[in-house]
Amino acid sequence: MSERSSTRRSGLEWFSSLPACVLLLAVVVFATGSDLHNRMLQLGDVLWQDYYQLRADPELPRCDPDIDVEAEIARRMQESSGGGLISDLIEPDALDPDTLRQSIEGARQRCADRHATFESLQGRMTPALVAYRQVELAMADVVALGLSSQRYLLALLLIICAATATFKRHHIAMRGMETQLDHKVSFFLQTIANIMLLLSSWFYRQQAHAGGGIVTLDKEILHDVWIVGFLFLSLVSCYRLFRPPAGLPVQGNLGHALLSVPLYTTMCLISGSYFAFLGHSAGIGIYLDKMMELSDMFLNIGLYVWVGMMLKHTRLARLVFDIFRPWRMPPELLAAVAVAVAAIPTAYTGASGIFVIAAGAVIYAELRSAGARRQLALAATAMSGSLGVVLRPCLLVVIIAYLNREVTTDLLFGWGIWVFLLTVSVFLLVSMTLNRQGTFKLAPWRVALPASLAAARSLLPYALIVIGVLLVYSYLLDVSMDEFSAPRILPVMMLGILIFESIRSRHERRLRPEDEEVEALEPRIRKATNETTGEIGALLLLFGLSVSLGGVIERAGVMGLFPESFASPWMAMALMVCVLVMLGMIMDAFGAVILVSTTVATIAYQSGIDPVHFWMVTLVAFELGYLSPPVALNHLLTRQVVGEDEVRAALAEGDTFYQRHERILMPLIVMGISLVLVAFVPLLVYL
């Protein structure tokens, strides 16, 4: 490729992803600015005692500290006896000179204290304090701007990324668009769905004005952003409808074409038709607006995806796998190790689907390079985020504890460790029995251990970067790594790693300019952000319509069909398992948790099921739902990041039915066994 064409392609990539990059950086800057501002307040209080009183210029008290007490007593006594306001309110006999003297002397003393405080503060207004205060107050304005703009940032990010995903044909669907019929059906229905979103947002705006209430400026701007955004999204899908990619075959059938329709489109058509039938055309717009109430959480999802895409363009994952390569593990054992290790970063992302998008491509590539079959690698990739949602500090568990007072994060995370060990054990057992196609033989430890330790030394610079960033946040900003701070710390870590790799490989680029491993910093960030944009658009739009679909389930009274409680906890648990798995198949984790907290959870508690037990079952059931056909969201996300060609090649592998469908059957067996054990074994203990 010529330098001019390469530069042109780079410009086009930035044109599509630069706005999203700016928005994501703004989220990091605003969040870090809040940490910095808190630290500045603490430092100000250390340098200047009572700094909180010095943040504003002191005002001169209006009272008189030198008031003549006796003259004031005489004046008030005269007013009480001669008529006026005081005489109207107080009986003359009620005024006692001694009591009045005590009151006036107390007021004079308080006034004197206020004047003394004023003079003290005035005397402490040094030029250094004034300069520091100006910087701190400016930072406070930045933090306030960040807090007030979170909803706008999320709405803009969703619209920009959704339009990019639409233009790139990157939305999550049951199958890709392979024929012209697939393209036409998919984009025709996408256009209808986007117009539904536009009309619902318009009707929601009209409803807000017709209600007689006061529509704030912030709300008005958000309404306009949604309307303009969905109009733009409708135009993009309509443009793509009439501009199919070149080279698509004409042949196709309607059944396959309907499977190529994005999931968000199907959810939108269902919920939009339901609300329109009820005469509640603003329904989708209302539920999308509710999504804004959790804007910080959904913005964090975007940051996690960005982190994963930057991770994809580093050597870090390969270096981690290098530690295990000297042991010459069978691919089945290596897959179990990869899934177990992936649980740790999953605990910080909060949902398995997010991690599959963020790091699934890296895990798949490393397993394939280690000799794993495509079917096994696809199964492990789909499950790579399924085991960590019960570990500290998973945000999903924090939300469960916030919505349900019957449980605490300590209890949930405590039992979550045992659930994690159980699922890892089941995965290893299934992998080494049903999947094993060779002998189980590791390299001698005398040979493997030194090589493994030598490989681990290459991770030392990365460890120093991670520790350095953590120390900066801990000592300079007083922020430790947890489920709340991870979204803003991890991007800084990944940028630091990318900078380090670019500096280290500068001399290598001169020898191997075509090698992507030694690519410069700008192309890595550009490509990572470009990939992030499409993934965020596909995921956030799916989450938003999932919330709307949850509203349909709630309004339709589906949960009301169940009794308030069951006489048998065993029967209740059996039904709960089925319901929770089905919810996992059609809803994202965060929306499903909110719905379950208000409906199914109460039935479970009243049926004698322990609350902690119920929520452990819920988390495992959701993960089984994400891996279960016909939707199998985690498998769709895996195909999204791995590519259609790899999935198609995997279907041609294997001699037996199980081997040909191992990527689907293995996760179902592992999570199905785990769910049965988690759901019913504890009942034997506490009933």
Side-chain angles (χ1 to χ4, degrees):
M1 182 182 293
S2 66
E3 183 177 349
R4 179 176 296 180
S5 61
S6 177
T7 303
R8 182 173 178 271
R9 189 187 68 174
S10 301
L12 291 175
E13 287 180 346
W14 272 126
F15 179 78
S16 65
S17 58
L18 182 59
C21 182
V22 172
L23 292 174
L24 292 171
L25 285 175
V27 176
V28 175
V29 169
F30 285 139
T32 305
S34 178
D35 299 330
L36 179 59
H37 179 248
N38 291 335
R39 198 59 168 169
M40 291 185 69
L41 290 176
Q42 296 174 5
L43 181 60
D45 200 48
V46 171
L47 297 176
W48 299 278
Q49 188 177 4
D50 300 325
Y51 172 75
Y52 292 94
Q53 296 181 357
L54 300 171
R55 296 183 70 223
D57 292 329
E59 294 185 4
L60 179 66
R62 298 181 180 180
C63 59
D64 184 5
D66 300 321
I67 187 173
D68 188 334
V69 176
E70 298 301 328
E72 182 66 13
I73 293 175
R75 185 183 67 81
R76 295 192 183 185
M77 294 293 294
Q78 182 178 3
E79 287 183 354
S80 65
S81 60
L85 180 60
I86 296 181
S87 63
D88 294 338
L89 298 176
I90 305 175
E91 293 293 333
D93 296 339
L95 286 177
D96 178 60
D98 293 335
T99 303
L100 192 57
R101 181 178 291 104
Q102 292 178 1
S103 175
I104 295 174
E105 288 178 348
R108 184 178 66 175
Q109 183 60 45
R110 290 191 295 272
C111 181
D113 293 341
R114 291 170 61 188
H115 276 269
T117 301
F118 170 77
E119 294 174 359
S120 174
L121 294 177
Q122 276 287 92
R124 296 169 60 190
M125 287 292 176
T126 62
L129 183 144
V130 172
Y132 184 88
R133 186 182 66 178
Q134 289 178 343
V135 176
E136 181 266 313
L137 291 177
M139 185 59 65
D141 292 337
V142 172
V143 173
L145 175 63
L147 291 175
S148 62
S149 61
Q150 276 189 336
R151 295 186 174 194
Y152 309 127
L153 291 176
L154 176 59
L156 290 173
L157 186 67
L158 190 152
I159 294 298
I160 292 172
C161 294
T164 303
T166 301
F167 190 83
K168 293 181 177 180
R169 309 198 312 166
H170 201 69
H171 282 294
I172 302 169
M174 302 290 288
R175 64 187 297 272
M177 304 177 202
E178 300 177 354
T179 66
Q180 291 187 18
L181 182 61
D182 295 346
H183 179 92
K184 292 179 181 178
V185 171
S186 178
F187 276 101
F188 174 75
L189 293 179
Q190 283 185 62
T191 303
I192 298 298
N194 294 334
I195 292 175
M196 274 188 172
L197 292 171
L198 169 63
L199 294 177
S200 182
S201 300
W202 174 266
F203 286 127
Y204 182 35
R205 183 180 184 275
Q206 297 298 104
Q207 178 179 313
H209 284 276
I214 299 177
V215 180
T216 63
L217 179 61
D218 292 345
K219 201 76 171 179
E220 187 73 19
I221 294 175
L222 191 59
H223 282 310
D224 294 338
V225 169
W226 283 127
I227 292 173
V228 174
F230 288 131
L231 175 61
F232 176 63
L233 191 59
S234 301
L235 293 176
V236 171
S237 60
C238 185
Y239 170 82
R240 290 298 286 164
L241 173 62
F242 295 103
R243 292 295 296 270
L248 288 180
V250 179
Q251 296 84 3
N253 63 74
L254 185 59
H256 287 171
L258 291 175
L259 291 176
S260 66
V261 177
L263 294 181
Y264 95 87
T265 300
T266 304
M267 292 180 177
C268 183
L269 295 174
I270 293 173
S271 55
S273 301
Y274 175 82
F275 287 127
F277 177 76
L278 294 181
H280 189 51
S281 301
I284 301 179
I286 292 174
Y287 280 99
L288 282 177
D289 190 65
K290 287 185 177 181
M291 181 181 174
M292 297 295 104
E293 297 176 3
L294 299 173
S295 56
D296 54 342
M297 182 185 73
F298 288 103
L299 287 172
N300 290 344
I301 291 174
L303 291 176
Y304 283 130
V305 175
W306 194 31
V307 167
M309 294 301 115
M310 285 192 285
L311 173 64
K312 179 181 175 181
H313 290 274
T314 69
R315 300 175 178 175
L316 189 57
R318 180 178 300 178
L319 294 176
V320 172
F321 274 89
D322 285 343
I323 298 176
F324 302 104
R325 286 195 182 96
W327 297 93
R328 295 201 294 270
M329 296 180 183
E332 297 82 8
L333 178 60
L334 184 60
V337 171
V339 170
V341 172
I344 298 174
T346 302
Y348 283 93
T349 62
S352 59
I354 300 172
F355 183 78
V356 171
I357 283 183
V362 178
I363 292 176
Y364 179 82
E366 292 302 326
L367 287 175
R368 286 288 295 146
S369 65
R373 304 177 307 280
R374 284 188 174 87
Q375 287 282 349
L376 176 60
L378 289 172
T381 302
M383 288 194 64
S384 58
S386 297
L387 308 188
V389 294
V390 293
L391 297 179
R392 189 182 297 273
C394 179
L395 182 58
L396 189 61
V397 175
V398 176
I399 294 175
I400 290 173
Y402 176 78
L403 296 175
N404 298 268
R405 296 182 179 179
E406 296 83 359
V407 295
T408 64
T409 53
D410 288 338
L411 285 173
L412 292 173
F413 286 131
W415 283 103
I417 295 175
W418 296 105
V419 173
F420 166 72
L421 294 176
L422 171 67
T423 50
V424 169
S425 301
V426 174
F427 185 96
L428 180 60
L429 179 64
V430 172
S431 180
M432 298 304 296
T433 54
L434 295 179
N435 298 0
R436 189 159 58 117
Q437 296 185 0
T439 59
F440 181 83
K441 185 179 180 180
L442 298 177
W445 70 271
R446 296 179 186 275
V447 177
L449 183 59
S452 184
L453 293 176
R457 284 198 294 269
S458 62
L459 290 173
L460 287 179
Y462 298 89
L464 291 176
I465 293 173
V466 170
I467 294 173
V469 173
L470 291 178
L471 289 177
V472 167
Y473 271 87
S474 178
Y475 286 97
L476 294 185
L477 302 179
D478 194 27
V479 176
S480 58
M481 184 80 153
D482 56 22
E483 65 271 22
F484 304 106
S485 62
R488 59 182 179 272
I489 295 178
L490 290 176
V492 178
M493 285 183 181
M494 294 310 306
L495 288 172
I497 290 173
L498 285 175
I499 293 172
F500 162 73
E501 288 194 350
S502 298
I503 294 174
R504 187 185 63 177
S505 61
R506 185 173 300 168
H507 67 283
E508 297 178 6
R509 286 200 303 274
R510 298 169 185 170
L511 301 175
R512 295 179 294 162
E514 75 286 352
D515 193 343
E516 183 154 339
E517 259 192 37
V518 294
E519 204 168 21
L521 178 63
E522 185 274 335
R524 293 191 188 199
I525 296 179
R526 169 169 43 84
K527 289 180 179 180
T529 307
N530 197 42
E531 294 169 359
T532 301
T533 306
E535 301 293 355
I536 289 177
L539 199 60
L540 288 186
L541 200 56
L542 180 62
F543 280 5
L545 271 300
S546 177
V547 173
S548 179
L549 186 62
V552 172
I553 296 174
E554 185 178 4
R555 280 178 163 269
V558 174
M559 297 304 176
L561 300 176
F562 298 98
E564 295 183 358
S565 64
F566 290 85
S568 170
W570 295 89
M571 182 182 298
M573 180 59 74
L575 183 61
M576 298 297 166
V577 165
C578 297
V579 172
L580 294 172
V581 171
M582 286 189 291
L583 286 177
M585 292 171 62
I586 62 175
M587 295 187 66
D588 74 278
F590 300 101
V593 162
I594 296 173
L595 179 62
V596 170
S597 296
T598 58
T599 53
V600 182
T602 303
I603 300 174
Y605 302 157
Q606 295 177 354
S607 299
I609 298 175
D610 180 79
V612 176
H613 179 205
F614 169 76
W615 283 110
M616 288 294 103
V617 172
T618 299
L619 292 172
V620 179
F622 283 173
E623 294 305 320
L624 178 58
Y626 304 146
L627 295 164
S628 300
V631 179
L633 180 59
N634 280 11
H635 287 289
L636 297 180
L637 297 176
T638 299
R639 189 191 67 197
Q640 188 103 337
V641 298
V642 169
E644 292 284 349
D645 293 339
E646 287 297 311
V647 176
R648 193 178 296 111
L651 295 176
E653 294 181 349
D655 299 324
T656 66
F657 177 83
Y658 178 82
Q659 292 173 355
R660 288 193 299 271
H661 301 281
E662 181 180 357
R663 67 185 183 93
I664 299 292
L665 296 178
M666 180 188 174
L668 292 181
I669 293 172
V670 172
M671 297 308 298
I673 294 174
S674 300
L675 179 58
V676 171
L677 294 176
V678 172
F680 295 103
V681 171
L683 294 179
L684 297 172
V685 178
Y686 67 80
L687 287 183

